[in-house]
Amino acid sequence: MKFFIDTANLEQIIEAQAMGILDGVTTNPSLMAKEGITGEANILKHYVDICNLVDGDVSAEVISTDFDGMVREGEALAKLHPQIVIKLPMIGDGVKACKYFSDKGIKTNVTLVFSAGQALLAAKAGATYMSPFIGRLDDISTDGLGLIADIRLIYDNYGFETQILAASVRHTMHIMDCAKIGADVMTGPLSAIKGLLKHPLTDIGLAKFLADFEKGN
Ligand code: G3P
């Protein structure tokens, strides 16, 4: 299972990379704005800065909603750095642009997926990654993890190679549930990743080992 961090915050990206478990980064216009990164030139520079900090794939989202605009933007983004993955919205022109980029061997991430039918379309268009937003489905009392399970079943039925990138992960249990279902990738906040470290018996056990060591010295 790949671990991506879902942020544009460089300090958090550096911390996750230093843990040695990071496989990539996802961003979106909201995460950029949250870090105060605005204006095209600054956003493009920020993508390059992120690529230079990590080893894996870095998703960079297009803003255009028409095919020509997505192709123009996506081609410019792909030229920024070899690690860039073009993030496209799950709309008709986004699917068309996904097919265009996958035919050219450029990696894609189809985002804002909320149904199994949308996931099927993304796979048919040859998406590298397809991002169902589980937290936002949970927010409206719909089973986000159930969607991941449905998509896993459908992709396995036909051997689709598109990777299920569980997105809008909000907490540690989301990560564990996605791992049980077999999501290929999860992207979440650093807090959810670090939550995997925690167990009170680990802390108690370590404190006892250290205390016992001290007794003998
Ligand atoms: O990966 C998608 C993500 O950035 C959306 O997360 O928490 O805004 O639903 P959230």
Side-chain angles (χ1 to χ4, degrees):
M1 186 188 199
K2 291 184 197 168
F3 273 25
F4 289 178
I5 188 168
D6 195 28
T7 185
N9 181 290
L10 297 184
E11 286 74 30
Q12 291 185 15
I13 292 169
I14 289 167
E15 188 175 341
Q17 175 71 17
M19 285 174 77
I21 48 77
L22 194 66
D23 300 296
V25 179
T26 52
T27 59
N28 61 41
S30 305
L31 293 171
M32 284 284 186
K34 192 173 162 196
E35 300 305 320
I37 314 293
T38 54
E40 195 185 345
N42 291 331
I43 290 173
L44 296 184
K45 180 185 175 301
H46 206 69
Y47 284 138
V48 175
D49 289 345
I50 293 172
C51 288
N52 288 331
L53 288 174
V54 299
D55 301 320
D57 287 341
V58 175
S59 290
E61 189 155 344
V62 301
I63 304 304
S64 303
T65 53
D66 64 293
F67 174 76
D68 291 339
M70 288 185 204
V71 166
R72 196 171 48 249
E73 261 190 79
E75 283 180 338
L77 287 169
K79 281 187 193 136
L80 281 180
H81 199 282
Q83 285 164 242
I84 291 283
V85 173
I86 310 305
K87 203 170 180 191
L88 302 156
M90 171 37 81
I91 55 176
D93 279 23
V95 172
K96 197 172 152 188
C98 177
K99 173 75 177 133
Y100 172 88
F101 286 118
S102 48
D103 283 350
K104 292 186 94 178
I106 293 173
K107 286 186 180 178
T108 53
N109 175 1
V110 175
T111 189
L112 290 166
V113 170
F114 292 94
S115 76
Q118 292 177 326
L120 186 54
L121 278 176
K124 291 283 293 172
T128 314
Y129 299 105
M130 175 282 313
S131 298
F133 278 32
I134 59 177
R136 290 194 193 181
L137 282 168
D138 291 353
D139 287 345
I140 58 160
S141 303
T142 302
D143 184 6
L145 290 164
L147 175 62
I148 301 290
D150 286 349
I151 299 170
R152 182 73 282 158
L153 174 70
I154 291 168
Y155 280 13
D156 288 350
N157 279 347
Y158 298 100
F160 284 121
E161 288 179 4
T162 296
Q163 295 178 54
I164 301 173
L165 196 173
S168 186
V169 160
R170 301 274 175 76
H171 49 72
T172 305
M173 276 309 292
H174 269 157
I175 300 178
M176 290 317 302
D177 287 332
C178 284
K180 287 182 204 166
I181 294 165
D184 301 286
V185 192
M186 81 82 206
T187 190
L190 184 61
S191 58
I193 296 172
K194 286 169 79 175
L196 293 167
L197 285 168
K198 292 181 192 153
H199 199 289
L201 292 179
T202 303
D203 298 338
I204 292 166
L206 181 60
K208 179 156 174 32
F209 285 156
L210 295 178
D212 288 344
F213 174 81
E214 284 305 321
K215 277 184 211 161
N217 287 289

